[in-house]
Amino acid sequence: MTDSSQNDFIVVSNRLPVDRVVEPDGTAHWRRSPGGLVTALEPVMRASEGAWVGWAGKPDLELEPFTEDGIDLVPVPLSALEVQRYYEGFSNDTLWPLYHDVIAAPSYHREWWEAYQVVNQRFTDAAAEVAAPGATVWVQDYQLQLVPAMLRAQRPDLVIGFFNHIPFPPYGIYAQLPWRRQIVEGLLGADLIGFQRVADAGNFTRAVRRLYGPTTTKGTSIRVPSPDGGPERIAIAKAFPISIDVASFEELARRPETIERARQIREELGNPTTIMLGVDRLDYTKGIRHRLKAYGELLRDGDIEVGDAVLVQVASPSRERVAAYMQLRDEIELTVGRLNGTYSTISHSAIAYLHHGYPREEMAALYLAADIMLVTALRDGMNLVAKEYVACRHDDDGVLLLSEFAGAADELKNALLINPHDIDGLKESMVKALRMPKKERASRMRSLRRRVRDNDVSSWSDSFLTTLRQSADAARSM
Ligand code: GDG
């Protein structure tokens, strides 16, 4: 690793973009980890001289900074109790459900909040230590909302950006949070606070007005009072819809071996006329239950026949120690078991349910094989799966069913937009997708592909970082 105090660009996120793998013989090495954030930021980090500050994913692991695959990594240690309180507790059982429209009930515990503050301070210290004078620090996501203000207090020379990958809720919901003021104050330490949707940025500025008074915001600008009575600063809150590395997904999907694997998948499923696909972390926000309900009713009513159609549901394991996720898994597996028990035949299953993570190559082949992609999230910051599906369909075929509650719906208007709560509407759209003529599929897919190509992950990060530098320059020349 280079001189650790000389990093001009620093990304701070809960997780480092690598997983520690221990082999049976006891040797350990690092492997790039999957996930939306990593997928999104990896190309940006490679293109710049930067460092990435984050947790290595295992409790009680003290590690020195190291370089992996060309990226400087600065590990932040967490104890087992901190993982339980800051990560599984406050991040995933308080903020996650609260920010996703209280689909599940958030739990509020003062000791979780204590741990959240302590851990946010530790991430701040690690970033402050490696940042060169005047460096740009880009803080990611809801686990680290206090870092911007903590960092500004410690290092006023830094340019600080924050991006929230999940929705920001309306004030009527946000107001439940006992620490609502502290979190907003934490975020306002940034020069630029980025959100997925215009509606999220609007919810945030409305929360600022409710907490600080009606004259504090104008358009995207927020007047931030100085904590020590000094001059005010301006912070900007704005939407920057995240995207994917479109070219790399398309390249993967064009490989002859991926095309062959897609053909094989169809064959292994018994050559059905229609393959429907869902790919989600096993999370209650993703609307997997709603999807299964609609699919089950279509089977019951004879609108689809097992053998003619199949649903492939990849549900990658997620947050398995949080109670709401254990319960969700039980419910989904009960439903899948019932539907398969009722409708499968010896030769054909109604649902191929896969509770594993898959390599990227297999995901691309699944996307290529799927005639209909089901994205039925009840609330989702963006939903990268929708964009990945589109990026892979170089054959201009396939139908995307997309929830209007996913951020991606703002851009992908030529998908079949659905309200997942409306089971009849969802069923109608599934049937429409099943019967859609090839010409309409192609024209919709071509327009979706243009949209996804126009805003890939590098234009997302370029536009965030350009706006960040402009906001910081404007704030400093005031
Ligand atoms: C959060 C926000 C926002 C999933 N299973 C496998 C696998 N994945 C990959 C997908 C995709 C990513 O994980 C999931 O991204 P999503 O955007 O769909 O959802 P979240 O994980 O909830 O991400 C979300 C995102 O942050 C980015 O800002 O869009 O709204 O909730 O890339 O392909 N990848 C592989 N194997 C799997 O089994 N290789």
Side-chain angles (χ1 to χ4, degrees):
M1 174 147 177
T2 49
D3 180 350
S4 64
S5 64
Q6 289 307 306
N7 292 109
D8 287 317
F9 179 62
I10 294 151
V11 173
V12 189
S13 71
N14 173 61
R15 277 299 312 264
L16 285 172
V18 290
D19 286 321
R20 192 175 153 89
V21 185
V22 181
E23 299 294 347
D25 66 2
T27 56
H29 61 96
W30 297 97
R31 190 179 51 203
R32 218 197 88 158
S33 50
L37 177 61
V38 183
T39 316
L41 278 181
E42 204 232 353
V44 189
M45 284 304 290
R46 273 181 201 292
S48 54
E49 283 294 315
W52 194 312
V53 175
W55 174 46
K58 295 264 182 303
D60 299 313
L61 197 60
E62 294 275 351
L63 296 166
E64 288 302 313
F66 62 102
T67 303
E68 182 62 33
D69 231 356
I71 303 179
D72 289 349
L73 302 170
V74 182
V76 177
L78 295 180
S79 71
L81 189 62
E82 284 167 346
V83 172
Q84 207 187 358
R85 292 181 172 178
Y86 144 81
Y87 180 64
E88 292 164 352
F90 200 78
S91 298
N92 290 336
D93 209 9
T94 304
L95 294 172
W96 179 270
L98 182 75
Y99 282 31
H100 288 90
D101 289 356
V102 297
I103 295 165
S107 308
Y108 303 111
H109 295 296
R110 284 164 284 187
E111 63 275 22
W112 291 1
W113 165 243
E114 290 297 323
Y116 187 78
Q117 295 172 87
V118 168
V119 170
N120 271 246
Q121 186 62 59
R122 191 174 306 142
F123 276 81
T124 302
D125 295 345
E129 199 177 316
V130 296
T136 296
V137 182
W138 192 358
V139 183
Q140 306 289 329
D141 229 356
Y142 62 103
Q143 301 93 349
L144 300 173
Q145 293 174 98
L146 302 177
V147 171
M150 287 174 165
L151 200 51
R152 182 168 299 278
Q154 219 160 309
R155 292 285 305 270
D157 59 300
L158 300 177
V159 173
I160 304 169
F162 179 90
F163 186 77
N164 199 46
H165 289 257
I166 67 173
F168 195 89
Y171 190 71
I173 291 176
Y174 181 72
Q176 283 187 17
L177 186 66
W179 309 281
R180 60 196 185 193
R181 197 178 176 94
Q182 291 94 315
I183 294 278
V184 167
E185 252 165 39
L187 291 171
L188 288 177
D191 294 290
L192 175 62
I193 307 143
F195 297 91
Q196 301 278 26
R197 306 180 94 158
V198 174
D200 298 317
N203 286 342
F204 177 72
T205 45
R206 274 188 293 276
V208 171
R209 283 203 294 276
R210 292 294 288 266
L211 294 165
Y212 291 86
T215 59
T216 42
T217 75
K218 191 169 176 224
T220 58
S221 296
I222 301 170
R223 288 183 11 231
V224 186
S226 159
D228 52 14
E232 288 178 339
R233 284 190 308 115
I234 297 290
I236 305 289
K238 206 169 171 288
F240 295 87
I242 200 170
S243 191
I244 56 164
D245 189 353
V246 178
S248 90
F249 270 98
E250 176 154 358
E251 186 273 322
L252 192 54
R254 280 188 188 276
R255 287 184 199 166
E257 59 270 30
T258 311
I259 295 170
E260 170 54 20
R261 177 64 193 141
R263 194 199 57 74
Q264 238 176 41
I265 289 172
R266 182 173 290 274
E267 191 175 287
E268 284 166 14
L269 290 166
N271 281 320
T273 315
T274 309
I275 300 175
M276 299 191 192
L277 175 67
V279 171
D280 314 80
R281 276 187 308 98
L282 187 41
D283 194 296
Y284 49 78
T285 60
K286 303 291 182 184
I288 303 172
R289 280 180 299 206
H290 297 62
R291 190 181 308 169
L292 291 175
K293 185 161 183 61
Y295 184 70
E297 289 188 13
L298 290 175
L299 285 169
R300 182 198 65 197
D301 301 343
D303 291 310
I304 43 184
E305 294 280 336
V306 166
D308 194 35
V310 64
L311 170 62
V312 178
Q313 177 63 55
V314 176
S316 38
S318 186
R319 304 178 189 170
E320 294 186 287
R321 286 167 16 139
V322 178
Y325 289 76
M326 294 177 200
Q327 197 192 332
L328 174 76
R329 182 173 174 196
D330 286 348
E331 284 173 24
I332 286 178
E333 293 184 355
L334 182 74
T335 308
V336 169
R338 283 212 176 128
L339 289 173
N340 272 338
T342 310
Y343 298 107
S344 296
T345 63
I346 300 257
S347 53
H348 295 98
S349 293
I351 305 173
Y353 169 79
L354 308 154
H355 184 249
H356 339 269
Y358 283 97
R360 239 171 128 249
E361 292 72 15
E362 185 73 357
M363 305 291 288
L366 278 166
Y367 290 144
L368 259 189
D371 304 290
I372 304 174
M373 182 79 217
L374 301 173
V375 177
T376 58
L378 305 176
R379 183 55 79 192
D380 213 333
M382 175 55 60
N383 196 290
L384 297 179
V385 166
K387 293 189 171 182
E388 290 166 4
Y389 178 64
V390 170
C392 286
R393 297 313 302 240
H394 50 78
D395 56 353
D396 289 339
D397 207 349
V399 182
L400 173 64
L401 242 82
L402 176 60
S403 166
E404 59 194 66
F405 299 104
D410 283 0
E411 292 168 275
L412 304 182
K413 295 204 190 302
N414 257 314
L416 286 185
L417 294 182
I418 53 105
N419 169 5
H421 299 282
D422 172 10
I423 299 295
D424 284 338
L426 180 54
K427 285 161 62 186
E428 276 163 31
S429 295
M430 285 162 90
V431 170
K432 181 171 177 187
L434 276 164
R435 297 186 183 149
M436 189 181 286
K438 187 165 174 35
K439 210 166 153 216
E440 184 179 349
R441 299 200 300 262
S443 83
R444 283 178 183 268
M445 187 51 78
R446 271 197 297 273
S447 123
L448 293 173
R449 288 174 60 73
R450 270 195 299 277
R451 272 316 286 251
V452 169
R453 258 193 245 115
D454 284 351
N455 176 33
D456 78 347
V457 70
S458 58
S459 31
W460 168 74
S461 55
D462 286 353
S463 83
F464 183 93
L465 291 169
T466 306
T467 312
L468 173 59
R469 289 191 184 113
Q470 285 164 354
S471 324
D473 286 349
R476 277 157 184 68
S477 64
M478 271 176 57

